[in-house]
């Protein structure tokens, strides 16, 4: 089991370690700065942190010594906009979609046979690739230039954003990305060409005749079972969906109690029937229902759900879990969850019971086991 | 020469200033500054070369309005301040 996880928060990066006295956090790296994404690279042990300055833009830092020292490296950046590039306006609001990195929102490592390969998803919807541990980045034009991008719009932020990158452990040249709002997109040639795989998702926030449009789906977060990589779980704006064929088709899962609305999902890394979710009451009320902060878990592929309560605050709790706010370790037994109220809980038994960390953290943006 | 100052908020990122650079248009002044302080570029301008939307540029006490092209002349003896444009929380 893994004994450490990173918490990217609105005001710094915290390392949380398991000691003989339980889980303890250390003073933050980058105090006061927003950490929307982190990566611990399983291939070489490097740590990466996206550091977002409110005034000065998104930066990327790398550590080769588990956070003792950090080095600022290149951040993803768009190439100069060609004179003939079309101006794309948000179909919902009419505002121009910027040709510029607003935020680096997620970061993933490539395959074991792709040393130095990193992927970075950004707002306003650009996917970037590095083959030198983040020393330089290039825009994945095969996705950015898809005409369907003109149908994408913001969800979570003002502009479209890539929040999930799912590298296939069987073949890392196959990968998918989740876009809010733009659906689930897959490449089978290392990012050269892309196709939308959102059949079966449904959007209730559009006129009914457009509910099935794959290019306007809002998968809040997509998570893959690493042991059975064809199994994907999606916490969508309009409920929970599951695919057993690598996104070629999605099936709606009957909503659990207390709600099927939420942002985060963690697929169990080994058991394709198991996944964890963090519900909020509804999209018009993004707090726990009745002040009870609970999680939900299915262990039968979504046919039924348990409501997980043991150790969680069940009275006057208003914690919301963002997209990247749940993570499991490689066994699936250790799970950590962090909320926008700064609450953090850890489970040692796959979610049966939870222990709170005795710290009032800043709002949690991302949780990731080392 | 032109004197360029940066907000003290950038000191924690390793930028101290002030710097002395040759006069010219504001873009020429900034490009000269970024020649000697290459890491500062991405803190002041975005990936398309525009002044970041939450950065303010003052030229001899006047806030800059041409944030994209930066063609305003900056004569010798001028003082340029690169500051945070207060916003957010």
């Amino acid at each position: 089991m893994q004994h450490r996880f990173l918490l990217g928060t609105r005001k710094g990066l915290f390392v949380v370690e398991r000691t003989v006295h339980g889980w303890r956090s250390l003073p933050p790296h980058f105090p006061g700065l927003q950490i929307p994404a982190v990566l611990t690279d399983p291939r070489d042990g490097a740590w990466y942190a996206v550091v977002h300055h409110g005034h000065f833009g998104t930066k990327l830092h790398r550590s080769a010594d588990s956070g003792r020292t950090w080095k600022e490296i290149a951040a993803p950046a768009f190439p100069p906009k060609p004179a003939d590039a079309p101006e794309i306006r948000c179909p919902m609001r009419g505002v121009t979609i910027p040709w510029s990195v607003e935020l680096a929102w997620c970061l993933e490592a490539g395959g074991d046979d792709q040393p130095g390969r990193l992927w970075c998803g950004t707002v306003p919807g650009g996917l970037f690739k590095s083959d030198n541990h983040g020393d330089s980045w290039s825009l994945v034009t095969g996705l950015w230039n898809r005409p369907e991008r003109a149908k994408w719009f913001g969800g979570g932020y003002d502009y479209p954003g890539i929040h999930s990158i799912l590298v296939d452990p069987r073949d890392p040249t196959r990968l998918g990305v989740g876009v809010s709002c733009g659906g689930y997109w897959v490449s089978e040639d290392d990012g050269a060409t892309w196709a939308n795989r959102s059949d079966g998702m449904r959007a209730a926030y559009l006129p009914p005749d457009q509910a099935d449009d794959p290019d306007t789906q809002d998968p809040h977060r997509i998570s893959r079972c690493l042991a059975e990589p064809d199994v994907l779980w999606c916490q969508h704006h309009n409920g929970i969906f599951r695919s057993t064929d690598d996104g070629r088709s999605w099936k709606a899962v009957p909503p659990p109690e207390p709600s099927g609305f939420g942002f985060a999902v963690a697929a169990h890394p080994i058991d394709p029937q198991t996944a964890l979710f963090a519900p909020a009451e509804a999209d018009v009320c993004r707090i726990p229902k009745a002040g009870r902060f609970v999680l939900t878990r299915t262990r039968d592929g979504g046919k039924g759900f348990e409501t997980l309560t043991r150790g969680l605050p069940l009275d006057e709790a208003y914690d919301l879990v963002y997209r990247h706010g749940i993570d499991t370790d490689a066994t699936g037994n250790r799970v950590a969850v962090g909320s926008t109220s700064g609450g953090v809980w850890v489970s040692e038994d796959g979610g049966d019971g939870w222990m709170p960390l005795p710290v009032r953290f800043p709002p949690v943006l991302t949780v990731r086991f080392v | 020469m032109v004197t360029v100052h940066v907000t003290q908020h950038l000191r924690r990122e390793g930028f101290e200033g002030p710097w002395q650079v040759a006069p010219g248009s504001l873009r020429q002044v900034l490009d000269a500054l970024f020649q000697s302080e290459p890491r500062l570029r991405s803190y002041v301008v975005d990936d398309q070369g525009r002044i970041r939307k939450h950065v303010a540029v003052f030229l001899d006490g006047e806030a800059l309005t041409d944030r994209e092209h930066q063609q305003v002349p900056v004569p010798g003896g001028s003082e340029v301040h690169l500051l945070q444009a207060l916003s957010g929380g």
Side-chain angles (χ1 to χ4, degrees), chain A residues 9 15 30 36 55 61 75 104 106 144 180 187 256 280 285 287 292 294 308:
Chain A
T9 79
V15 180
F30 312 108
H55 299 89
H61 293 251
C106 64
W144 183 249
S180 286
S187 171
C285 189
I287 53 176
R292 288 166 52 86
V294 301
L308 307 176

Side-chain angles (χ1 to χ4, degrees), chain B residues 11-86:
Chain B
R11 286 187 186 153
R12 65 183 280 181
E13 308 305 324
F15 306 113
E16 282 280 348
W19 299 272
Q20 300 284 320
V21 295
S25 68
L26 179 66
R27 171 155 290 184
Q28 289 169 326
V29 165
L30 291 178
D31 282 343
L33 172 61
F34 300 151
Q35 285 276 325
S36 62
E37 294 284 341
R39 207 167 52 85
L40 182 60
R41 177 184 293 274
S42 78
Y43 285 78
V44 176
V45 300
D46 67 18
D47 49 12
Q48 302 303 300
R50 297 167 298 213
I51 303 293
R52 286 197 173 277
K53 60 186 174 185
H54 297 304
V55 167
V57 180
F58 281 78
L59 170 56
D60 290 331
E62 295 281 333
L64 173 78
T65 53
D66 173 18
R67 302 170 64 84
E68 181 164 357
H69 302 292
Q70 303 143 31
Q71 290 307 306
V72 60
V74 183
S78 299
E79 300 264 340
V80 173
H81 283 85
L82 306 175
L83 305 174
Q84 57 177 350
L86 289 185

Side-chain angles (χ1 to χ4, degrees), chain A residues 9-47:
Chain A
T9 79
R10 182 74 177 74
K11 302 287 182 183
L13 170 64
F14 295 81
V15 180
V16 182
E17 294 180 332
R18 195 179 198 289
T19 71
V20 291
H21 305 295
W23 293 89
R24 294 287 182 268
S25 67
L26 303 172
H29 304 264
F30 312 108
L33 297 174
Q34 189 173 341
I35 312 293
V38 294
L39 169 67
T40 60
D41 192 332
R43 300 166 300 181
D44 59 9
W47 291 10

Side-chain angles (χ1 to χ4, degrees), chain A residues 162-185:
Chain A
I162 294 173
H163 49 68
S164 301
I165 300 171
L166 296 88
V167 177
D168 192 326
R170 298 165 297 193
D171 176 0
T173 65
R174 295 166 53 169
L175 70 155
V177 299
V179 185
S180 286
C181 301
Y184 179 58
W185 286 79

Side-chain angles (χ1 to χ4, degrees), chain A residues 250-315:
Chain A
W250 294 86
K251 287 193 174 60
V253 168
E257 285 295 328
S259 166
F261 181 83
F263 291 94
V265 50
H268 194 284
I270 299 166
D271 178 5
Q273 304 294 319
T274 296
L276 277 156
F277 300 84
E281 182 170 345
D283 66 347
V284 295
C285 189
R286 300 177 182 193
I287 53 176
K289 191 172 183 181
R292 288 166 52 86
F293 179 69
V294 301
L295 302 175
T296 59
R297 180 179 64 191
T298 178
R299 298 167 102 170
D300 58 7
K303 296 187 192 72
F305 281 85
E306 305 157 84
T307 304
L308 307 176
T309 60
R310 186 151 58 83
L312 297 172
L314 304 177
D315 184 41

